[in-house]
Amino acid sequence: MNRFTYDIRVYWEDTDAGGIVFYANYLKFMERARTEWLRAMGVQQQLLRDETGGMFVVTDTQVRYQRPARLDDLLCVSAELKHMGQASVTLSQRVVLAADPTYKLAEGTIRIGWVEAATLRPVRMPAALLGTLERHRAPSTEEPHRRT
């Protein structure tokens, strides 16, 4: 599972006065896809926090908005792990129309860091979590035979 996808329907609450998806809601859609991506790997964030005392926090985002989504559109949001460190991961995320995946709405890079929940200080991710993430990392663009 290199690229994970998750479908999201646009509701009234997602749109602005102009009837298009409010720009900040794309970050919410991406958050949902990241959460479901972790869940698909067997990572339950609340259980992980309870057992390890750590949690993920967003440390950096970069989003490019390309086209608007509208009420009732069915969106496909992807999450793909691009880089791993000992205390953070960087994902590439994209939002497209589910009916036409070539119709890009937004795409970005999200970096999430692992912190101690009590102090919010960065710490190394647990070994089991690192192993799970490593198994789902996208091949490097430097590798000669990249899977798509």
Side-chain angles (χ1 to χ4, degrees):
M1 172 180 52
N2 289 333
R3 177 175 285 160
F4 174 83
T5 60
Y6 181 70
D7 290 347
I8 295 174
R9 177 76 61 190
V10 175
Y11 298 119
W12 277 113
E13 66 196 41
D14 301 318
T15 62
D16 62 15
I20 61 173
V21 170
F22 181 64
Y23 77 95
N25 286 335
Y26 288 96
L27 291 171
K28 290 181 180 182
F29 300 156
M30 290 176 179
E31 174 73 29
R32 288 183 207 158
R34 285 192 310 279
T35 298
E36 294 302 328
W37 168 71
L38 287 167
R39 191 182 314 274
M41 288 186 278
V43 177
Q44 296 178 34
Q45 292 187 77
Q46 185 62 53
L47 180 62
L48 194 58
R49 181 180 174 165
D50 292 345
E51 291 178 349
T52 68
M55 65 182 195
F56 284 114
V57 295
V58 173
T59 60
D60 185 58
T61 63
Q62 181 178 17
V63 179
R64 181 168 184 260
Y65 302 97
Q66 297 169 307
R67 294 184 176 125
R70 291 172 167 49
L71 179 66
D72 290 331
D73 283 348
L74 182 62
L75 311 180
C76 181
V77 185
S78 64
E80 185 174 14
L81 179 57
K82 290 298 191 175
H83 181 270
M84 277 185 55
Q86 297 298 309
S88 70
V89 295
T90 302
L91 294 100
S92 173
Q93 293 199 257
R94 183 177 297 164
V95 183
V96 299
L97 284 179
D100 181 2
T102 65
Y103 193 86
K104 293 183 201 173
L105 303 168
E107 59 187 346
T109 303
I110 312 294
R111 183 172 181 247
I112 55 176
W114 185 256
V115 299
E116 184 178 277
T119 64
L120 298 180
R121 291 191 176 156
V123 293
R124 175 180 260 207
M125 282 182 268
L129 178 58
L130 283 169
T132 298
L133 292 172
E134 180 63 37
R135 287 189 299 277
H136 294 90
R137 180 167 50 170
S140 169
T141 55
E142 298 170 4
E143 294 177 357
H145 300 290
R146 182 161 191 224
R147 291 191 308 169
T148 56

